[in-house]
């Protein structure tokens, strides 16, 4: 009998983590807390089951007898009305409310009491994850010190693991009193550790404890188990271990969580990793790095191998319960595709794998620092929530296709993810190269090879594994229909990005015909050709389509009112492109500066100040300076997401040219010259923001990044030193 098809599940990032005395709630930080419509978006995606939070810390934060289910009532009903199954999560990377903790001897009983209240309120829920990733949470809280109680003690980590597993057992016992058919879905990350021979003993320890959550729940931590004696001496009473050894906590479905960082490599040769902070186990000093970055381990890492291990060890149904990659759109899709393919392959070998879960459906915030820093760093999931209405991304569309049983087809899959490309290893890390097989992959055609933006797109496309052909005028004259047709026939691009055009704004009034030809006729001809061939088209516009007199930052619906010939050419191009192809993507941006060229205001300011020259900069002309790498990455994401129409892409914030010059001078301590406001300083504010979604990071962080990573600026400052 043919097994049921692999199901598409979804998950809402719902960690409630205590750091010091403060709780961080990802449901709030990602905005899901205030968007009931997110439930409808999940249903539209085709999700069959949802890992959904009924988190202890949010329902009963102050007292176990004071519970507020009002938020959950509304959302769980909506999920049920849509026919989606619910996997209820009670503790997700948390330590419980203030009246308990991971090390509280009564943690398990308190959790069971809470589970009883939840089960009585929602008797129709029959799938539960009382505690998410017990050992991972214990490591982050009690071994690495990231979260409460901020310890660095392996025995405390083991004690916290036992407490959470015991809490899972007792919570399910309590739930089944009212709902006897309820199923336990227990989740954990079981990445494997590899090492140099000198650290084999540490790898053996790590590889034993990676199974600890499931071994405890399956009742396998009995006499003879690697950690039974240790736990009995340092972390748990014999009575607790005996209760777990009954196997009453056995999962009905194993929740398999796996990330690119899950498999690890330990190396005592720390000098080989100058950018990696070494650690110590008290006996040896070593680095702990991603195994996917170690060339010799290529055949030993990946989700398929880990799935096979967990199936062979427990012979219990499996669901992949988290698939997320905090990276660019195409890499997210490549990772999803690899995970889904691994699941299908292992199913074909006999493993009972039920589902693949798109995790962080609505993204996550500050997980780059494991929530320890409040930076507001957002990573999109299936939906990008930086718009008023969350936007489905390429990741969402890929997941929906797989959930329908369709074969996933997209040009980004012509190349593998970065973890399988040259340049990924610590020994030979390089990012601006494409593998040889890129020659046979479908390409993006980029115009404007001699310009800052064209060069930046080429560099970043290479970094992201997006094959491209970068053309100069002799290869593609955007003002010549024949040249455009010839280039399309030759390259066969799946998308065209136009960065060519007249950019000398100060000469546009004198060279109006040349400006019009390059900025209007060229994009118009490209748009017509793209429309004819069904090719997505991207081009760029400017803040100078506005007169700067509105009194606030401009958003996309504001009517253009240009004052100069350059602005008029861009406004005319916008109008023509929209009439030709409503599917074209037009990116308005402003005053961009990048790390790879000398031709920008920031570099020129520092260069002049270092020479002792004065810099004249308006204090009343307000703009939105834009960091080129941020602009390019966001544009590529929008292209892949199939976004259309006009988008404003600038870094968050605005400032005058004078403030911008002073900011970069302060960052580089350049004060030999002065920054002077010109005598005739007319007010103007052409700063941009977006009503469609503010996608770029704050301006101050972009300026810091420019100062730290600008290649020409580094050379200039080194020469001055």
């Amino acid at each position: 009998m043919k097994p049921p098809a692999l199901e598409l599940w979804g998950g809402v990032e719902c960690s409630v983590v205590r750091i010091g005395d403060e709780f961080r709630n990802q449901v709030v930080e990602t905005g899901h807390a205030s968007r009931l419509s997110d439930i409808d978006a999940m249903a539209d995606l085709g999700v069959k089951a949802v890992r959904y939070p009924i988190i202890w810390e949010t329902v009963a934060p102050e007292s176990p007898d004071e519970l507020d289910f009002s938020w959950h009532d509304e959302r769980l009903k909506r999920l049920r009305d849509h026919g989606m199954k619910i996997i209820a999560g009670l503790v997700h990377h948390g330590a419980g409310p203030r009246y308990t903790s991971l090390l509280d001897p009564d943690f398990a009983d308190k959790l069971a009491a809470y589970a009883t209240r939840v089960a009585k309120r929602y008797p129709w829920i029959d799938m539960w994850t009382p505690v998410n990733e017990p050992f991972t949470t214990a490591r982050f809280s009690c071994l690495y010190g990231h979260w409460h109680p901020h310890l660095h003690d392996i025995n405390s980590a083991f004690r916290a693991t036992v407490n959470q597993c015991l809490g899972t057992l007792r919570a399910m016992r309590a739930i089944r009193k009212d709902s006897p058919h309820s199923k336990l879905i227990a989740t954990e990350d079981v990445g494997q550790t590899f090492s140099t021979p000198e650290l084999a003993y540490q790898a053996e320890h790590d590889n034993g404890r990676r199974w600890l959550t499931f071994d405890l729940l399956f009742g396998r931590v009995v006499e003879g188990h690697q950690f039974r004696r240790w736990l009995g001496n340092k972390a748990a009473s014999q009575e607790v271990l005996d209760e777990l050894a009954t196997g009453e906590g056995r999962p009905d479905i194993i929740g398999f969580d796996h990330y690119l960082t899950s498999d690890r490599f330990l190396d005592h040769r720390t000098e080989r990793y100058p950018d990696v902070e070494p650690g110590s186990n008290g006996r040896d000093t070593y680095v702990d790095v991603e195994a996917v970055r170690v060339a010799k381990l290529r055949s030993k890492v990946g989700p398929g191998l880990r799935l096979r291990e967990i199936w062979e060890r427990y012979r219990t149904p499996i669901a992949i319960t988290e698939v997320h990659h905090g990276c660019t759109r195409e890499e997210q899709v490549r990772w999803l595709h690899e995970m889904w393919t691994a699941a299908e392959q292992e199913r074909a070998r006999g493993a009972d794998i039920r589902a693949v879960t798109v995790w962080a459906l609505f993204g996550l915030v500050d997980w780059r620092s494991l929530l320890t820093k409040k930076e507001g760093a957002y990573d999109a999931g299936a939906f990008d929530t930086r718009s008023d209405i969350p936007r489905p991304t390429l990741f969402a569309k890929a997941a929906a296709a797989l959930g329908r049983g369709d074969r996933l087809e997209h040009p980004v899959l012509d190349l593998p993810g970065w973890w399988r490309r040259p340049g990924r290893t610590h020994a030979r890390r390089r990012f601006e190269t494409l593998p040889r097989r890129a020659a046979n992959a479908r390409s993006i055609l980029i115009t404007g090879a001699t310009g800052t933006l064209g060069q930046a797109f080429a560099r970043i496309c290479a970094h992201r594994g997006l094959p491209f052909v970068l053309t100069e005028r002799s290869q593609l004259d955007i003002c010549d229909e024949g040249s455009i047709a010839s280039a399309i026939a030759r390259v066969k691009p799946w998308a065209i990005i136009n960065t060519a055009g007249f950019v000398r704004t100060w000469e546009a009034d004198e060279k109006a015909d040349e400006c019009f030809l390059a900025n209007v006729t060229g994009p118009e001809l490209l748009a017509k050709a793209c429309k004819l061939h069904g090719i997505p088209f991207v081009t760029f516009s400017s803040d100078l389509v506005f007169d700067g007199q509105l009194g606030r930052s401009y958003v996309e619906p504001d009517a253009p009112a240009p004052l100069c010939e350059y602005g008029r050419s861009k406004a005319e191009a916008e109008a023509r492109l929209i009439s030709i192809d409503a599917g074209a993507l037009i990116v308005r941006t402003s005053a961009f500066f990048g790390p790879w060229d000398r031709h920008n205001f920031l570099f020129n300011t520092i260069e002049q100040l270092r020479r002792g020259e004065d810099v004249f900069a308006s204090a009343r002309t307000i703009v939105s300076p834009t960091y080129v790498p941020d602009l390019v990455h966001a544009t590529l994401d929008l292209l892949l997401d199939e976004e259309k129409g006009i988008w404003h892409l600038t870094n968050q914030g605005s400032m005058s040219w004078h403030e911008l010059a002073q900011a970069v001078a302060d960052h580089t301590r350049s004060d030999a010259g002065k920054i002077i406001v010109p005598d005739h300083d007319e007010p103007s504010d052409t700063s941009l923001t977006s009503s469609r979604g503010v996608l770029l990071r704050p301006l101050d962080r972009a300026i810091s990044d420019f100062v730290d990573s600008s290649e020409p600026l580094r050379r200039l400052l080194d020469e001055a030193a």
Side-chain angles (χ1 to χ4, degrees):
M1 182 176 177
K2 187 177 180 180
L6 199 59
E7 286 190 346
L8 178 69
W9 291 1
V12 175
E13 168 52 38
C14 55
S15 299
V16 177
V17 174
R18 182 176 175 183
I19 300 175
D21 286 329
E22 183 180 358
F23 288 84
R24 294 194 67 173
N25 184 343
Q26 287 284 283
V27 171
V28 173
E29 294 188 52
T30 60
H32 176 65
S34 59
R35 291 190 308 265
L36 183 61
S37 60
D38 284 359
I39 307 297
D40 306 320
M42 295 183 207
D44 292 342
L45 202 61
V47 168
K48 302 299 184 185
V50 182
R51 294 185 64 192
Y52 206 73
I54 314 177
I55 301 299
W56 191 8
E57 292 95 324
T58 64
V59 175
E62 302 302 331
S63 167
D65 298 319
E66 297 176 9
L67 296 87
D68 181 359
F69 288 105
S70 56
W71 184 89
H72 304 81
D73 288 346
E74 185 177 28
R75 282 151 181 82
L76 293 171
K77 180 181 183 301
R78 181 73 68 92
L79 285 165
R80 194 181 185 192
D81 289 346
H82 276 298
M84 285 181 279
K85 295 176 288 186
I86 295 166
I87 305 161
L90 306 184
V91 176
H92 198 102
H93 287 319
R98 295 185 189 278
Y99 46 85
T100 188
S101 77
L102 294 177
L103 302 179
D104 179 1
D106 296 324
F107 176 87
D109 288 333
K110 291 175 181 176
L111 177 59
Y114 172 66
T116 298
R117 306 285 286 271
V118 178
K120 286 183 180 297
R121 191 172 190 91
Y122 308 113
W124 43 271
I125 295 179
D126 60 3
M127 294 195 293
W128 301 81
T129 301
V131 180
N132 174 68
E133 295 186 356
F135 184 61
T136 298
T137 300
R139 284 190 296 124
F140 289 174
S141 300
C142 298
L143 186 58
Y144 307 149
H146 299 313
W147 306 331
H148 184 82
H150 304 288
L151 300 178
H152 299 271
D153 173 45
I154 184 62
N155 293 322
S156 294
F158 281 156
R159 192 176 306 121
T161 304
V162 172
N163 252 4
Q164 292 172 90
C165 289
L166 184 65
T168 297
L169 183 155
R170 291 183 180 173
M172 289 307 301
R173 182 188 294 158
I175 289 166
R176 285 168 175 155
K177 287 180 180 178
D178 293 297
S179 303
H181 301 296
S182 289
K183 291 182 170 59
L184 167 61
I185 300 176
T187 60
E188 191 58 271
D189 184 330
V190 292
Q192 186 170 354
T193 298
F194 304 87
S195 73
T196 56
E198 289 80 357
L199 292 166
Y201 71 94
Q202 182 64 47
E204 181 183 5
H205 170 85
D206 291 359
N207 285 323
R209 74 188 193 188
R210 71 182 174 126
W211 301 115
L212 190 54
T213 290
F214 295 131
D215 280 359
L216 284 165
L217 293 173
F218 275 90
R220 294 190 177 190
V221 181
V222 296
E223 289 301 327
H225 187 279
Q226 178 181 357
F227 291 108
R228 170 74 189 211
R229 183 168 297 179
W230 188 336
L231 293 176
N233 290 335
K234 303 286 188 180
S237 69
Q238 291 301 320
E239 292 78 12
V240 165
L241 293 178
D242 288 344
E243 184 176 352
L244 286 162
T246 64
E248 185 184 350
R250 178 190 180 97
D252 297 284
I253 297 176
I254 289 175
F256 173 85
D257 297 345
H258 189 76
Y259 291 82
L260 280 165
T261 55
S262 294
D263 291 334
R264 311 301 299 178
F265 179 66
L266 312 180
D267 196 334
H268 66 287
R269 300 163 299 183
T270 58
E271 70 281 356
R272 296 189 173 197
Y273 308 85
D275 299 327
V276 179
E277 184 72 25
S280 174
N281 59 9
R283 172 175 164 183
D284 286 302
T285 298
Y286 55 90
V287 296
D288 179 343
V289 298
E290 308 99 318
V292 294
R293 292 196 184 278
V294 180
K296 67 180 181 180
L297 297 177
R298 178 168 187 167
S299 63
K300 298 180 179 181
V301 300
L305 293 171
R306 304 293 85 82
L307 281 168
R308 193 175 314 155
E309 288 173 347
I310 204 167
W311 169 250
E312 291 176 352
R313 188 177 180 96
Y314 299 109
R315 295 286 172 171
T316 296
I318 299 168
I320 298 175
T321 41
E322 291 185 17
V323 176
H324 179 76
H325 183 26
C327 198
T328 52
R329 296 290 194 274
E330 71 288 340
E331 299 289 34
Q332 289 182 317
V333 171
R334 289 163 178 158
W335 182 239
L336 171 65
H337 185 250
E338 183 166 328
M339 291 286 275
W340 194 283
T341 300
E344 293 284 21
Q345 289 173 344
E346 293 308 310
R347 277 161 58 93
R349 295 167 62 103
D352 184 357
I353 302 175
R354 306 286 179 86
V356 174
T357 307
V358 175
W359 186 245
L361 279 167
F362 302 99
L364 38 82
V365 176
D366 284 342
W367 266 94
R368 302 176 198 181
S369 65
L370 295 177
L371 302 175
T372 58
K373 298 178 182 177
K374 278 203 166 183
E375 297 176 323
Y378 175 75
D379 289 306
F383 297 88
D384 190 326
T385 65
R386 291 171 292 186
S387 300
D388 289 341
I389 300 174
R391 294 188 303 107
T393 67
L394 175 63
F395 185 33
K397 295 162 189 173
L402 291 169
R404 293 191 300 268
D406 296 343
R407 180 176 178 271
L408 190 55
E409 166 58 32
H410 196 281
V412 302
L413 296 177
D414 290 351
L415 289 184
W418 65 258
W419 54 97
R420 299 196 182 278
R421 297 200 301 269
R424 75 188 186 284
T425 66
H426 282 281
R428 297 181 178 179
R429 289 184 76 166
R430 60 186 187 279
F431 297 107
E432 281 69 51
T433 57
L434 289 168
R436 292 179 182 176
R437 61 188 288 189
N440 300 318
R442 287 166 285 184
S443 297
I444 299 172
L445 193 155
I446 305 168
T447 69
T450 60
T452 294
L453 208 50
Q455 288 290 322
F457 267 101
R459 185 184 290 250
I460 290 174
C461 281
H463 171 65
R464 291 175 59 157
L466 296 171
F468 65 92
V469 174
L470 178 63
T471 61
E472 55 189 32
R473 183 177 295 181
S474 62
Q475 299 165 309
L476 195 170
D477 183 348
I478 66 171
C479 299
D480 184 322
E481 287 184 80
S483 180
I484 294 171
S486 177
I488 290 175
R490 182 175 69 253
V491 177
K492 298 180 175 60
W494 69 266
I496 293 179
I497 299 174
N498 177 44
T499 72
F502 189 96
V503 297
R504 302 182 303 278
T505 56
W506 60 94
E507 293 184 358
D509 289 338
E510 296 178 5
K511 299 182 178 181
D513 291 344
E514 182 182 343
C515 177
F516 187 92
L517 185 67
N519 288 354
V520 180
T521 304
E524 181 181 19
L525 293 176
L526 282 170
K528 288 179 177 178
C530 287
K531 179 70 172 177
L532 176 65
H533 293 281
I535 299 171
F537 178 56
V538 182
T539 194
F540 289 84
S541 190
S542 167
D543 60 328
L544 294 180
V545 300
F546 301 114
D547 61 13
Q549 304 304 307
L550 188 61
R552 59 162 172 80
S553 295
Y554 290 88
V555 292
E556 289 86 353
D558 289 327
L563 294 178
C564 63
E565 193 61 37
Y566 180 84
R568 282 188 283 273
S569 72
K570 289 295 186 179
E572 179 65 19
E574 290 178 5
R576 294 193 185 190
L577 264 57
I578 290 171
S579 67
I580 293 167
D581 185 2
L585 174 60
I586 303 167
V587 175
R588 285 187 188 137
T589 190
S590 169
F592 57 73
F593 61 98
W596 304 303
D597 71 275
R598 301 168 59 96
H599 306 295
N600 61 72
F601 176 78
L602 271 65
F603 180 86
N604 292 333
T605 294
I606 300 307
E607 189 174 39
Q608 289 179 250
L609 293 175
R610 287 272 169 177
R611 291 199 301 256
E613 299 174 4
D614 294 338
V615 172
F616 288 84
S618 170
R620 302 182 71 189
T621 300
I622 310 300
V623 292
S624 296
T626 306
Y627 191 45
V628 167
D630 295 353
L631 171 64
V632 172
H633 278 300
T635 300
L636 288 170
D637 285 346
L638 291 177
L639 168 64
L640 292 170
D641 291 346
E642 300 178 343
E643 286 296 321
K644 305 174 177 67
I646 296 173
W647 270 84
H648 287 183
L649 292 183
T650 61
N651 287 100
Q652 297 172 40
S654 59
M655 57 177 58
S656 69
W657 290 108
H658 188 277
E659 290 170 325
L660 180 60
Q662 191 61 59
V664 74
D666 292 342
H667 271 285
T668 57
R669 299 180 181 178
S670 301
D671 55 7
K674 296 180 180 179
I675 303 172
I676 299 173
V677 177
D679 293 336
H680 302 288
D681 192 14
E682 297 296 328
S684 173
D685 182 352
T686 60
S687 60
L688 305 177
T689 188
S690 179
S691 60
R692 303 188 69 178
V694 179
L695 306 185
L696 275 59
R697 60 181 162 167
L699 179 55
D700 59 342
R701 295 181 192 167
I703 293 173
S704 295
D705 202 5
F706 168 79
V707 171
D708 292 338
S709 60
S710 173
E711 296 165 7
L713 185 58
R714 283 291 100 204
R715 289 194 295 271
L716 175 67
L717 297 179
D718 289 344
E719 290 168 4

